[in-house]
Amino acid sequence: MGTLNEYLQQKREALLERRANAERQPDQARSVFSAKVRAAGRSGVREIRIRDFQVISDSPPDFAGYNLGPSSPELQLGVLGSCLTHIALIQAAERQVSLHSLEVEVTGEMHPLAGRPGYEHIPIHPHNIQYKLIIQSDESEETLRAFHQAIEQVCPIFNLLRNPQQIEGQLVVNRLSSESVL
């Protein structure tokens, strides 16, 4: 089994090749991606489809769930941790930072009464989000501080959460019969 530093060399080669391809054809470099989610009947389990992958999201039993998968807020923390980890790998590869191990822990809070009368001061969204980037490395403190700063500067999900954007939504109704009412 290879080491993390061996993988970082492969990551560096892939990164350089990907950037070279994007520079050769910048008009075709844009990525468009999507996810589709369907609520399963009787269980309410959310089946998330992304490319050829399926992820299950569910609620804990105390919220009418079957505990078959993480909740949406838990997935969001996992997505943030995954993105921070991936960007850390990219930055380590690009900067040739030696890493023996890499782990990210993400925590957040939610309250079931958030936004209700008397609890308007509590955000309805995950809040107090914090992460720990836990690495084993022989690099200097200066190198590691610059490495960490670069991760936060370019991590897409970290920056989406820190600097949110407008999200446009639309309701599409497919009626079973002409008598269906909203």
Side-chain angles (χ1 to χ4, degrees):
M1 190 157 114
T3 67
L4 184 55
N5 282 314
E6 290 170 335
Y7 170 75
L8 289 175
Q9 184 55 41
Q10 291 175 341
K11 189 69 155 179
R12 180 174 174 75
E13 292 166 12
L15 174 66
L16 296 175
E17 180 64 26
R18 189 172 200 209
R19 283 193 181 149
N21 289 338
E23 287 172 1
R24 281 192 291 275
Q25 299 177 338
D27 295 338
Q28 296 175 10
R30 182 176 69 111
S31 293
V32 176
F33 46 95
S34 66
K36 190 172 190 176
V37 182
R38 181 181 79 86
R42 295 190 49 93
S43 70
V45 168
R46 279 83 65 204
E47 299 169 351
I48 304 166
R49 286 243 170 238
I50 302 169
R51 292 185 286 143
D52 294 331
F53 303 98
Q54 180 171 309
V55 178
I56 299 296
S57 177
D58 195 12
S59 300
D62 70 345
F63 203 31
Y66 296 91
N67 213 29
L68 297 174
S71 67
S72 299
E74 291 169 322
L75 282 171
Q76 182 60 61
L77 295 185
V79 167
L80 173 59
S82 176
C83 196
L84 286 164
T85 301
H86 187 230
I87 297 302
L89 292 169
I90 292 169
Q91 289 300 312
E94 182 174 34
R95 296 164 173 270
Q96 297 182 308
V97 172
S98 174
L99 296 178
H100 302 291
S101 68
L102 167 64
E103 186 175 323
V104 175
E105 292 179 4
V106 184
T107 60
E109 295 179 26
M110 287 189 71
H111 194 289
L113 298 176
R116 302 198 44 92
Y119 297 90
E120 297 88 354
H121 64 285
I122 299 174
I124 61 170
H125 52 79
H127 58 282
N128 293 334
I129 297 173
Q130 300 176 21
Y131 78 90
K132 292 179 186 175
L133 178 64
I134 304 162
I135 61 170
Q136 186 176 45
S137 177
D138 299 323
E139 300 286 352
S140 71
E141 292 294 321
E142 181 182 327
T143 297
L144 294 175
R145 271 194 295 277
F147 168 65
H148 184 220
Q149 183 179 23
I151 292 167
E152 288 191 350
Q153 184 178 3
V154 300
C155 180
I157 301 302
F158 177 81
N159 284 289
L160 173 65
L161 294 173
R162 188 166 58 174
N163 306 303
Q165 63 174 313
Q166 287 293 110
I167 299 174
E168 294 181 29
Q170 110 186 95
L171 174 65
V172 177
V173 178
N174 295 316
R175 300 190 186 279
L176 295 176
S177 70
S178 60
E179 298 174 302
S180 295
V181 178
L182 285 178

